[in-house]
């Protein structure tokens, strides 16, 4: 049985550009080792935006050495990058962008959401790449809600949307470089939920709304992350209130993490190279 290691709360709130008011739940500068292969999680919203004709979001910026995974719960995000990837995602959709050897991208509220306004809520994860793949070709996976399979839990305790990895015999659509599970859980109060997950892998539960109880005594509430010990192959917890939860589970990389802003590599020399390559224009340009 996987036991609770600790509860991680926000490092504080800040704006990413002018469109994403985020709580930084964790990053590679605080619990990189414990959360490997996950490097960072920003939780944006829920926040209300009035109708506007302005482009709200964050303009062109670079990444190298990892993947960004954007999961939209409310609102819409439009993305373009220098690898030619791009698209608009809305509630239930996921964008899985592989920066790898380097690209430039931009993210804004989708035109339709900006025009109508309303509640905006999303999670952005940074997923580390193993050293052997950090200089792989960039890529983009736009995953529509309809492509994400959903499984009903025993006893009608809720549902699991399998974004990445496998639940039972159901495989998620996202392609990842190392083994991981990224699941969107919608759980009903009063149920006990159990999952079989690989022994020795990182496991964490992020609660967007509602509340859970782990180990029979620790309550996990909105915007809190329950990080479990790696030992054990079974995860069990109680659902105290109807809950929306993001389950993260993955094989630790056990490699050095050296980060500088939007670049995450394995050594200082690789970071210097990333900065030089970006400044020299080797990350390409976003087409018009």
């Amino acid at each position: 049985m996987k036991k609770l290691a600790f509860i991680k709360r926000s490092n504080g709130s800040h704006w990413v550009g002018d469109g994403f008011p985020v709580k930084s739940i964790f990053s590679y500068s605080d619990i990189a080792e414990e959360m490997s292969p996950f490097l960072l999680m920003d939780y944006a919203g829920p926040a209300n935006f009035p109708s506007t004709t302005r482009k709200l979001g964050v303009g062109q910026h670079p990444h190298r050495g990892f993947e960004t995974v954007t999961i939209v719960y409310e609102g819409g995000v439009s993305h373009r990058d220098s690898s030619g990837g791009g698209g608009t995602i809305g509630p239930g959709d996921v964008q899985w962008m592989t920066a790898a050897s380097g690209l430039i991208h931009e993210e804004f509220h989708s035109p339709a959401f900006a025009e109508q306004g309303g509640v905006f809520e999303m999670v952005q994860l940074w997923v580390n790449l193993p050293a052997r793949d950090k200089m792989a070709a960039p890529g983009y996976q736009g995953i529509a809600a309809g492509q994400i399979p959903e499984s009903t839990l025993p006893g009608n305790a809720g549902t699991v949307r399998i974004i990445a990895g496998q639940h039972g015999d159901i495989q998620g659509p996202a392609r990842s470089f190392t083994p991981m599970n990224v699941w969107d859980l919608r759980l009903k109060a009063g149920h006990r939920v159990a999952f079989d997950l690989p022994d020795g892998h990182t496991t964490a539960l992020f609660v967007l709304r509602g509340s859970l109880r782990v180990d029979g005594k620790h309550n996990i509430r909105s915007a809190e992350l329950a990080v479990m010990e790696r030992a054990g192959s079974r995860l069990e917890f109680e659902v105290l209130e109807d809950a929306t939860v993001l389950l993260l589970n993955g094989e630790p990389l056990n490699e050095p993490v050296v980060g500088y802003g939007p670049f995450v590599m394995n050594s200082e020399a690789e970071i210097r190279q990333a900065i030089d390559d970006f400044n020299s224009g080797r990350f390409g340009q976003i087409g018009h």
Side-chain angles (χ1 to χ4, degrees), residues 6-8 25-26 35 41 204-206 220 223-227:
F6 58 91
I7 298 170
K8 183 71 175 65
I25 305 301
F26 68 87
M35 283 304 299
M41 176 193 275
L205 295 164
F206 179 66
I220 319 298
E224 295 183 342
L225 182 78
V227 181

Side-chain angles (χ1 to χ4, degrees), residues 78-240:
S78 291
H79 157 97
R80 294 193 307 158
D81 67 52
S82 57
S83 79
T88 294
I89 57 173
D93 301 339
V94 175
Q95 167 197 299
W96 197 294
M97 185 191 79
T98 303
S101 61
L103 49 62
I104 295 166
H105 80 146
E106 61 180 31
E107 299 162 288
F108 291 99
H109 291 183
S110 66
F113 174 71
E115 186 181 340
Q116 71 184 38
V119 176
F120 185 90
E121 184 179 22
M122 76 172 197
V123 166
Q124 186 168 89
L125 288 171
W126 289 12
V127 176
N128 205 1
L129 291 173
R132 66 175 182 270
D133 295 314
K134 281 190 177 289
M135 295 300 286
Y140 175 84
Q141 301 172 69
I143 304 169
Q147 297 173 275
I148 300 173
E150 187 173 288
S151 175
T152 301
L153 292 170
N156 203 25
T159 57
V160 184
R161 290 200 319 141
I162 303 100
I163 296 166
Q166 191 159 352
H167 176 254
D169 55 4
I170 301 174
Q171 184 75 37
R175 300 182 304 276
S176 63
F177 284 75
T178 56
M180 67 185 63
N181 292 298
V182 178
W183 299 345
D184 172 19
L185 311 177
R186 309 298 169 106
L187 306 172
K188 296 179 182 176
H191 288 269
R192 188 170 184 83
V193 175
F195 297 111
D196 292 315
L197 296 164
D199 182 34
H201 284 202
T202 297
T203 302
L205 295 164
F206 179 66
V207 177
L208 286 89
R209 57 183 63 88
S211 61
L212 311 177
R213 179 174 290 152
V214 297
D215 295 352
K217 56 188 175 186
H218 302 290
N219 290 1
I220 319 298
R221 299 180 178 86
S222 176
E224 295 183 342
L225 182 78
V227 181
M228 310 304 290
E229 292 178 358
R230 288 183 179 146
S233 59
R234 192 156 177 87
L235 174 68
E236 290 191 14
F237 56 90
E238 300 161 71
V239 185
L240 301 182

